[in-house]
Amino acid sequence: MTVLQGATRETFWTVGPTGKAVFYYLAALASLVFLYGVYARFRRYADGREDPGRLADLPNRVLTATKVVATNEKQFDRDAYAGVMHTFVLWGFLTLLMATTILFVDMDVYGPLTGDSFFVGAFYLAYQFTVDAFGLLFVVGVGMALARRYRERDGRLWGKHTSLEDDAFVWTLFLLGVGGFLAEAVGILGQPARATETVSFVGLSMANALSAAGLTAAGAEAVYPAVWWSHALLALGFVAWVPYAKPFHMISSFANVVARDEDAGARLPNVPADLDHTNAESLEDFTWKELLDQDACTKCGRCSSVCPAKAAGRNLDPRDVILDLKAYRESVDEDPVSGAGGAVATDGGAAAAAGGEGAATDADADWPVAGGVAGDESVPIVAEEGGVIAAESMESCMSCMACMDACPVEIEHLTTITRLNRQLVDEGAVDSNLQDVFQDVMQKGNTFGEAPGARGDWADDLEFDVTDARETEVEYLWYVGDYPSYDDRNKKVARALARLFEAADVEYGILYDDEKYDGNDVRRIGEEFLYLELAGHHVETFEECEFDEIVCTDPHSYNTIKNEYPELDFAEFADDPMMPFEYEDDWNADGAIEVSHWTQVVEDLVAENRLGLSGDELDYTVTYHDPCHLGRYNDEYEAPRELIRATGADLYEMPRSRADSFCCGGGGGGLWTEHDEEVKPSEERLREAVEDTEAGAAVEKFVVACPMCTTMFEDGRKTGDFEDQIEVVDVAELLLEALETSGAIAAPDAADDATDADDGSEPTAAD
């Protein structure tokens, strides 16, 4: 009991009063350097444009961010190894930081105030055990990081922005952990009173090993100052270094999670009517959150590893978009962090601040740096040639949001990419096929350039009339969309869905030639004002109709009508003579009008037994592809699956499904552009269906729930030589076949769909 009560250790053993004073001086200096660096970083964010709402309900935001960071839930997503590694490092680091803080409080606050110490007895022993346990986890975690980093040097951790800074960061952490244990071991060996301190199990084991190697107590006492100072100086140097290099992500990442927008990507930022800071002409156009995104990036490469454009060999790496902008920003800033304008490159770290290797000489940057161009604010942010970001990279983006879903620190890549796309559109520097699409939409109201009056012609072959929702009150206002209206392959889907509605005795109607293109993807390409025209037209049309709910065929339409139309400030643009609408209210701001994807509506109809399915009509082996705009954008995964199961089909999941689903390649304008690709995303996805799915070659049907996906996969089926292996069908077509099999619906005459014989004959509107 006496040993327990008297257990403690001397923190500054053998260091002496002078050494202690020097340590406190250096600690104060390191703290000041740290605080100034953090201040300078956040002062730079304050120079960014406002981003309203980011800090609303701040206490709850902080609590949510604390949960996200503390549980490492995003790190575990898709990668259990990284989750365990980061958990060990995070909690080991935080525990060691708290342990240091406890020592400070005991020696410099509690002791002077009370003349006593709580760093004794049971508290001390519990402290030592906790520090050893979590310190060991910390070292193991950093060791796991080292193993992953250097085991495969061509893995996702490596890229154009990889530098010595990354090596310095991980090795510094490792040396801090090992150095702390070494100092503990030498201290135990040199102090006989601590020889039985079994709670310090790591330090005691190392002390025994050192003793076995020949180090005596006297020798330990002699070398302890050198060991202690080397560890102390490394720790203080690390503290001072944090705000100036990669370690700053420990602060910026948490701040980024606090400031996240849960609807980012699905709901893009609006453009102000005065066009102030609309695009990306200069760094001044970026918001403070976009600047914070850049500093929060840890170069982990998760976004790169899931990007379908990068996988297809296109010129896009979402990580590089963020880091290229950061590198350029730091090269042109009169950076208060470094104290020298343009002296800090993204990966230069402390070396750049000192003017050594790593100063602004980023040879891999997209913008020219030779001849002193780096740091030149006249360099365009995005351009076909000579810009910070290549226009080709932006044209490669499919707006699938996989990068944002995978990012553990809530970087909103799509927000930045949209800003860059708006700049390209403003300059007229977009793909000629996209220019044609814009022209078709402006003149004809659809992406095919077809006559507006032909929009409802897909219904001509039906054995019943489809109600005009402009003339009759309906339960469901059905927004059909461009591809189900004009594309021969997708007209079959529209007719199948109409037959399902009829079979369920649903009151529904369409807008015929008052329906135009929804605008979702032209907005993501950067054509904001064309999008505004389309949205204004539609909300005025909706207001003139009587209905209970809007139902959409296309997840792209569903997303923008549900999430983005209600966010638009129509009054700000209503007086603009260029805008063909006079609507001045906030449409559906309170969510009173429900907007649904058709699978959600029909799932309810099936649950109410209004289609009369018994669940054993079909015996196909199928797999299902989650559309990006239905899944990642709007978190709807179950409705299509429930409908597939309702037919009796045997559903097998692909390895990449739900939030991990791989894009078809059609989003973000991909449907209308051509790219030099190693393997098309649609081809890769079909290969995955027939080779990597558990059922393998037994999979007969590749089921989709998006007209754009249908188009892309019908094309990939041909170009990838999958026509004899698998059939592409929409969920609506599968349901219709089930009803026809049961006899609930009479099969239409073969002639009815004669125009659809060439499935996918128009794979893109550009064709």
Side-chain angles (χ1 to χ4, degrees), residues 140-160:
V140 170
V142 178
M144 292 172 68
L146 287 167
R148 168 157 285 190
R149 173 165 287 275
Y150 298 109
R151 184 172 56 226
E152 297 181 14
R153 296 186 66 92
D154 60 346
R156 64 175 170 84
L157 295 176
W158 297 82
K160 64 181 284 189

Side-chain angles (χ1 to χ4, degrees), residues 13-14 182-195 203-204 207-208 210-211 215-224:
W13 179 60
T14 75
L182 181 61
E184 181 183 50
V186 174
I188 290 174
L189 185 58
Q191 301 173 78
R194 300 181 63 189
L204 186 59
N208 292 334
L210 291 173
S211 178
L215 184 64
T216 64
E221 185 173 357
V223 302
Y224 184 77

Side-chain angles (χ1 to χ4, degrees), residues 448-681:
F448 286 79
E450 296 289 340
R455 195 168 192 99
D457 289 356
W458 61 269
D460 289 348
D461 293 329
L462 292 170
E463 59 274 18
F464 50 83
D465 294 329
V466 176
T467 301
D468 189 333
R470 298 168 298 181
E471 300 174 356
T472 305
E473 181 179 353
V474 294
E475 180 180 2
Y476 295 110
L477 173 59
W478 178 13
Y479 183 91
V480 182
D482 270 22
Y483 271 74
S485 297
Y486 291 106
D487 173 61
D488 285 342
R489 173 62 184 87
N490 279 289
K491 287 178 182 178
K492 294 177 65 177
V493 177
R495 285 193 282 270
L497 184 51
R499 290 183 175 117
L500 293 177
F501 284 155
E502 287 289 326
D505 195 24
V506 167
E507 293 181 352
Y508 69 98
I510 64 176
L511 296 174
Y512 286 90
D513 58 343
D514 262 327
E515 177 183 296
K516 296 186 178 182
Y517 173 61
D518 58 82
N520 180 84
D521 286 85
V522 298
R523 189 182 201 200
R524 279 149 182 78
I525 297 167
E527 236 303 356
E528 183 72 10
F529 290 97
L530 180 54
Y531 167 77
L532 279 166
E533 291 180 27
L534 295 165
H537 165 79
H538 284 127
V539 297
E540 283 188 330
T541 304
F542 296 158
E543 289 294 299
E544 294 171 0
C545 300
E546 294 187 42
F547 58 90
D548 296 332
E549 184 174 343
I550 296 175
V551 57
C552 303
T553 321
D554 190 337
H556 297 242
S557 308
Y558 164 58
N559 176 74
T560 199
I561 295 174
K562 175 187 176 183
N563 296 319
E564 297 187 305
Y565 282 16
E567 293 294 318
L568 292 174
D569 187 353
F570 292 104
E572 191 175 10
F573 297 91
D575 294 333
D576 188 333
M578 299 297 293
M579 290 294 166
F581 61 84
E582 298 178 357
Y583 191 79
E584 296 184 345
D585 296 327
D586 295 329
W587 182 78
N588 203 28
D590 57 359
I593 300 173
E594 188 170 355
V595 181
S596 302
H597 184 251
W598 75 263
T599 57
Q600 297 168 323
V601 170
V602 176
E603 181 192 22
D604 291 338
L605 297 177
V606 170
E608 295 167 7
N609 200 32
R610 290 176 63 176
L611 287 175
L613 289 170
S614 61
D616 59 2
E617 284 81 3
L618 304 179
D619 60 358
Y620 296 124
T621 299
V622 307
T623 192
Y624 171 68
H625 165 78
D626 286 282
C628 303
H629 279 69
L630 189 60
R632 272 190 296 271
Y633 271 68
N634 289 285
D635 201 33
E636 179 56 77
Y637 301 106
E638 295 307 321
R641 287 174 168 81
E642 288 301 314
L643 293 178
I644 293 170
R645 296 187 185 102
T647 69
D650 195 4
L651 174 62
Y652 284 82
E653 297 285 358
M654 283 188 281
R656 290 179 290 186
S657 62
R658 300 179 185 270
D660 297 341
S661 182
F662 191 73
C663 181
C664 70
L671 197 66
W672 306 308
T673 55
E674 298 179 1
H675 297 273
D676 183 14
E677 298 172 317
E678 297 169 5
V679 177
K680 291 182 178 181

Side-chain angles (χ1 to χ4, degrees), residues 368-385:
V369 299
V373 177
D376 183 356
E377 295 189 52
S378 66
V379 174
I381 299 295
V382 59
E384 293 185 13
E385 294 183 4

